[in-house]
Amino acid sequence: MSDPRDITIHPGSLAALAEGAYVPPVLPAGIRRLPTGVDDLATEHLVVNMGPQHPSTHGVLRMIVEVDGEELQNAEASIGYLHRGIEKQAEEWRYTAIGNLMDRGDYISGMHGELAFALATEQLMEIEAPPKANWIRSLVGELNRISSHLIWYGTFGLDTGGMGQFLYAWRDRERVVDILEAISGQRMMFNYIRPGGVVLDLPIGIDALIRDFLDDFAVHLEEHDQLLGGNEIFQGRVRGIGTIDREMALAFGLTGANLRCTGVGFDLRRDRPYAAYEELAFDVPVGTTGDCWDRYAVRIEEMRQAARMIRQLVDGMPEGEFTVKVPKVLRPPAGEVYAAVESPRGELGVHLVSDGGDKPYRMHYRAPSLLALQVIEQLLPGSLIADAVVILGSIDIVLGEIDR
Amino acid sequence: MLPDATVVGRALSAAGVPGAKIGETTLGLVCRVSPDDARAALAALKASELGFVMLVDLLGIDTGEAIDVVYHLRSFSRDEEMYVKTTLRYDATLPSVWEVYPAALMPERETAELYGLTLSGHPNPKRLLTTDGVPPLLRKSVPVRTAEEMRDR
């Protein structure tokens, strides 16, 4: 006998219901719906959207994906949802203001974007930032690397289904962002690194704040690595998928952790040194198999190395000027340069053309994530949808710099 | 860090691109070729002893008279970098180099779209960043705001 509070499930179309064609059976007590079984489940090719909204904050990325059941046959990235015309806008703003545009490209590595542009302008003007400015630039760069990698770590875990690490990562990132706010005045859109040096000197007492953070982070980072990396479910999800080999990485112009996971140990901080990196001792982690696990391990180790560098930078911070005197309105001589930094996502470059005026003639933002996104279209076909999400997360893209 | 210009010239001549102009600028070593020779030149530089295996960057520059397309190449074996430039008339066709450097796939789409060029030899020559009807935004002739919009503000 059915209880009037039971919800009756009507399988079949609405049209069939309207005609009264289907009469639901009287179900045995305790059964809410007829079991259908899956033996006769038909699979077909479907073209579906992943995005442009995601639950793992990859940004406004739309992947048009052709699936056969659970298996991905084809993937195409459809981008442009965050295109704001940064490169066009750079032709309308003066040089000291372009840092604001770079902040909004890769918005989780603002310091790196600003530094790339500042280095390009300084190359054109043939000036050099003073030693203290270089040390400060490396300091905020490595702090930014930790904050960016923590976002990646938290959201990558979400992609594999873990939720605990997400908030633990944010707890530590909040400490870093507080330090960057103390230094630059802003949590995210710093506008701190300009051609010639930096805008403000380090505040008094910042070294104590940073050392406190480093002491805690040394413990917390190992906990983070245990939480995800030491979890066999995570390892099972992540090992052996999304394998990039050396030839593919070089052919697609990959840089950063995406390149180093394949075994190519190219790091701009060591091989094209800038700022204070020549005076710091650090290691460059390199993977062996090029799968998602290697990218995870490389980025965790990069955080350890960044902490190691920050300690050296705080201990050895020189005295002196934090910027050279530059005119209020910069007019670099006509010319064309390329300057790049090792951002958390890879080689972030600025190709700058000057015509001698007060605004750049052409500024091109070389975004590492754009090239990484192309590799996705090669890696995803043949994988399961669940694996596709993990592979997409392991590449660590930011749509701000892809779309600009 | 700077490749040897004579070695570059030899590699290009051997590949049938003799008319290349190689010089040094603030950028570094820049080699100018015609748009039809670009793909052969890049293939020669990649395959030669110079070992330019990676396309680091691909961009367009509106010089006011034409569109310059810049290919930035890097060799890890010799730790060298160089640039290959071609010049295209406005509304010309940009031949794709994706078969030499698959890294060019999306940057070429973007450059063609934002400079009003037509892509040829590309497997997916669709617009990348903007929707249909949007003018080639990076052209110097396309203003950020039209005079009309400025008046209405």
Side-chain angles (χ1 to χ4, degrees), chain A residues 76-77 79-80 83 87-89 91-92 123 249-255 259 264 266 268 271-272 335-338 347 351 353 360-362 364 366 370-371 373-374 377 402-404, chain B residues 1 26-27 53-64 70 72 74 76 79 81 83 85 101-107 110 115 124 126 128-130 137-140 142-144:
Chain A
E76 183 187 351
I79 58 178
H83 178 68
E87 295 185 356
K88 181 73 176 184
Q89 198 70 286
E91 300 171 11
E92 308 282 320
Q123 250 189 62
L250 294 174
F252 279 89
L254 297 185
T255 47
L259 174 66
V264 180
F266 185 74
L268 287 167
D271 301 317
R272 302 269 189 278
E336 192 175 344
V337 289
Y338 174 81
E347 175 170 344
H351 192 112
V353 179
Y361 184 81
R362 168 80 169 109
H364 174 70
R366 192 259 182 209
L370 180 65
L371 303 172
L373 188 61
Q374 291 182 133
E377 295 182 347
I402 291 178
D403 287 342
R404 284 157 281 133
Chain B
M1 259 281 294
T26 46
L27 259 187
V53 293
M54 186 184 276
L55 178 71
V56 175
D57 202 6
L58 197 165
L59 63 140
I61 305 173
D62 184 348
T63 57
V70 183
H72 177 176
R74 175 176 293 154
F76 291 98
D79 197 21
E81 296 191 15
Y83 299 81
K85 283 199 186 186
Y101 294 112
L105 282 168
M106 276 189 181
E110 176 190 332
Y115 282 102
N124 187 14
K126 293 200 291 247
L128 191 69
L129 296 174
T130 55
L137 296 175
L138 282 177
R139 290 267 290 266
K140 290 289 181 182
V142 175
V144 174

